[in-house]
Amino acid sequence: MDGVSLSVTDPYLVPILETGMVIFIGEKEGYGKTVILEGTDGVEIWYGNLSEVNVELYDLKEKGEYLGSAKGNLYLVFKKDGKVLDYKNYLS
């Protein structure tokens, strides 16, 4: 896995980390049910291992809104121009 796996309480409401547009909803190998949101800065945030999704493709979502829920673990990956970025720069 390219990002970070966070242990979360069940069910965990997943907050949107940066304002952006939903560009993918579906299954990704190794990540399960995944939503990819592209931020205004061009960084893609992959939210993986979701149990429920409450967004639609091409929705414009604001930071702090909820995109769905996860159980057990939440996978986060940060990418720009196809390159994986260090998640530590985005999580505080």
Side-chain angles (χ1 to χ4, degrees), residues 21-26 34-36 53-60:
M21 181 181 290
V22 177
I23 61 169
F24 177 87
I25 300 172
T34 302
V35 169
I36 301 175
V53 173
N54 297 329
V55 295
E56 300 288 330
L57 196 59
Y58 306 120
D59 277 356
L60 182 60

Side-chain angles (χ1 to χ4, degrees), residues 30-81:
Y31 298 95
K33 190 181 293 184
T34 302
V35 169
I36 301 175
L37 189 134
E38 184 173 352
T40 54
D41 58 0
V43 174
E44 294 179 0
I45 304 175
W46 294 31
Y47 301 85
N49 196 42
L50 299 173
S51 53
E52 188 176 315
V53 173
N54 297 329
V55 295
E56 300 288 330
L57 196 59
Y58 306 120
D59 277 356
L60 182 60
K61 304 306 286 180
E62 296 291 323
K63 180 178 180 176
E65 292 183 274
Y66 294 101
L67 66 78
S69 60
K71 292 183 180 175
N73 289 314
L74 171 65
Y75 302 139
L76 294 174
V77 179
F78 300 86
K79 289 187 174 188
K80 186 167 186 177
D81 300 325

